[in-house]
Amino acid sequence: MKTLKCEMCGSGDLVKQDGLFVCQYCGTKYSVEEAKKMMIEGTVEVQGTVKVDDTSKINNYLALAENAWDGNDVSKAVEYTDKALEIDINNYKAWILRAKTVGWGSSLANKKITQSIAAAQKAVELAPEQEKTKVADDLVLALSLQVRGLYQLAVNMSTASWTLAWKHMNEVMMDWLKVLRLPNASKEAIRAQIKICEQMYNTSKNSSKTEERTLAATVASMNRKEPYHITFKKELLPDELTEEEKKPPKGGCYVATCVYGSYDCPQV
């Protein structure tokens, strides 16, 4: 008789529980019929077209990915998600999970957030029509958290190199804009993230510390000398701009303005 082995992990330790065969190593469950098919020996001749239903295998991989993600094992979560996509490249739930996980393996030298954005776009494209907005809004929130994590990494390196920090901050903020451009994202989801961006800017700008005021300038100095939340609104929510926000950016050095506290300061 053929040995019964788990198709997911290869373990032979399967125990029948509540009418199902359960792998004691990875937790994959098989129905009695699935177990019978796994036990068939010899050669089976099949004629005609056979459609293989891998739904349960895909769901098992996604469950393993979710478990790994919950356990903060990003690499394993991505690995299992990719296994699901190898079986069904059009599984939108797998693309959702990939978008949420792969970007957390980013560093400033290797910004995997771009992979998350590409996966998010694919997820929305493949999602059922009635779910597209919900999927998009969920991913806008998830990917914005990834972006803000990268932004903080760039802020932390500013003490070593302001020039390099500004470069990374600008790239990260442009990635944030790409996230907010996700198809089918609602105005509510976009508006919420722009508000967070504005709060980040104001917190630094109003700080009593010169260094933190200078940090506030990084969200403007490489971006037409205006805060990024205004840039985002101009592109995505132009009808919600205030009269002040509609004004063109002032000249002068925005970094110096933040450092000295006023555009009219002689040093500026």
Side-chain angles (χ1 to χ4, degrees), residues 91-139:
N91 188 294
Y92 80 97
K93 292 182 179 179
W95 282 113
I96 289 173
L97 194 51
R98 192 175 207 282
K100 289 182 176 181
T101 57
V102 69
W104 285 110
S106 291
S107 66
L108 292 175
N110 182 18
K111 297 183 180 72
K112 293 183 180 180
I113 182 66
T114 54
Q115 295 182 41
S116 280
I117 294 170
Q121 292 169 340
K122 195 70 176 176
V124 175
E125 175 190 333
L126 295 171
E129 196 63 38
Q130 67 273 18
E131 293 185 35
K132 286 185 183 294
T133 296
K134 181 180 183 302
V135 169
D137 286 359
D138 186 32
L139 289 173

Side-chain angles (χ1 to χ4, degrees), residues 2-15 20-31 34-39 56-61 64 80 83:
K2 183 179 177 182
T3 303
L4 182 60
K5 288 188 177 181
C6 176
E7 293 182 345
M8 300 298 290
C9 67
S11 171
D13 187 9
L14 280 83
V15 176
L20 297 173
F21 287 89
V22 182
C23 175
Q24 301 302 293
Y25 182 77
C26 69
T28 301
K29 297 179 181 180
Y30 300 93
S31 67
E34 289 172 328
K36 284 181 179 179
K37 291 176 184 178
M38 294 164 64
M39 294 293 290
S56 103
K57 187 180 290 187
I58 292 171
N59 289 339
N60 283 333
Y61 276 134
L64 290 170
Y80 285 127
K83 285 183 181 293

Side-chain angles (χ1 to χ4, degrees), residues 241-256:
L241 287 166
T242 65
E243 290 303 315
E244 185 64 27
E245 290 169 343
K246 290 178 183 178
K247 294 179 181 178
K250 292 182 178 180
C253 176
Y254 201 89
V255 175

Side-chain angles (χ1 to χ4, degrees), residues 124 131-141 144 179-194 232 236-237 239-240:
V124 175
E131 293 185 35
K132 286 185 183 294
T133 296
K134 181 180 183 302
V135 169
D137 286 359
D138 186 32
L139 289 173
V140 164
L141 174 60
S144 292
V179 169
L180 300 183
R181 287 178 183 150
L182 200 60
N184 295 89
S186 68
K187 284 188 175 183
E188 289 76 12
I190 294 170
R191 190 181 297 118
Q193 293 306 316
I194 291 177
F232 293 174
L236 302 170
L237 302 172
D239 55 332
E240 297 184 15

Side-chain angles (χ1 to χ4, degrees), residues 33-240:
E33 287 302 315
E34 289 172 328
K36 284 181 179 179
K37 291 176 184 178
M38 294 164 64
M39 294 293 290
I40 293 176
E41 60 181 347
T43 302
V44 179
E45 183 178 348
V46 179
Q47 296 181 343
T49 302
V50 177
K51 183 178 180 181
V52 179
D53 185 359
D54 286 319
T55 302
S56 103
K57 187 180 290 187
I58 292 171
N59 289 339
N60 283 333
Y61 276 134
L62 293 181
L64 290 170
E66 289 279 7
N67 287 337
W69 176 239
D70 290 341
N72 295 320
D73 191 340
V74 176
S75 62
K76 275 294 182 184
V78 174
E79 178 185 333
Y80 285 127
T81 301
D82 287 348
K83 285 183 181 293
L85 288 170
E86 286 173 7
I87 299 172
D88 182 7
I89 194 67
N90 293 319
N91 188 294
Y92 80 97
K93 292 182 179 179
W95 282 113
I96 289 173
L97 194 51
R98 192 175 207 282
K100 289 182 176 181
T101 57
V102 69
W104 285 110
S106 291
S107 66
L108 292 175
N110 182 18
K111 297 183 180 72
K112 293 183 180 180
I113 182 66
T114 54
Q115 295 182 41
S116 280
I117 294 170
Q121 292 169 340
K122 195 70 176 176
V124 175
E125 175 190 333
L126 295 171
E129 196 63 38
Q130 67 273 18
E131 293 185 35
K132 286 185 183 294
T133 296
K134 181 180 183 302
V135 169
D137 286 359
D138 186 32
L139 289 173
V140 164
L141 174 60
L143 270 62
S144 292
L145 290 173
Q146 294 180 24
V147 167
R148 283 149 56 193
L150 279 173
Y151 181 83
Q152 190 57 49
L153 287 178
V155 169
N156 292 342
M157 75 175 299
S158 63
T159 54
S161 172
W162 272 107
T163 302
L164 194 56
W166 287 338
K167 174 180 177 294
H168 285 305
M169 289 173 186
N170 186 63
E171 290 174 352
V172 169
M173 296 303 280
M174 288 297 95
D175 284 331
W176 201 353
L177 180 56
K178 292 175 185 176
V179 169
L180 300 183
R181 287 178 183 150
L182 200 60
N184 295 89
S186 68
K187 284 188 175 183
E188 289 76 12
I190 294 170
R191 190 181 297 118
Q193 293 306 316
I194 291 177
K195 187 65 178 176
I196 291 173
C197 182
E198 182 178 5
Q199 289 169 350
M200 288 166 56
Y201 171 73
N202 287 331
T203 297
S204 294
K205 186 184 71 170
N206 296 325
S207 172
S208 60
K209 298 179 181 178
T210 299
E211 295 82 357
E212 292 188 15
R213 290 204 308 274
T214 306
L215 270 181
T218 65
V219 300
S221 62
M222 300 182 72
N223 180 51
R224 299 184 303 165
K225 299 181 177 64
E226 70 181 8
Y228 278 103
H229 63 274
I230 296 179
T231 298
F232 293 174
K233 284 182 72 174
K234 284 181 177 178
E235 176 167 338
L236 302 170
L237 302 172
D239 55 332
E240 297 184 15

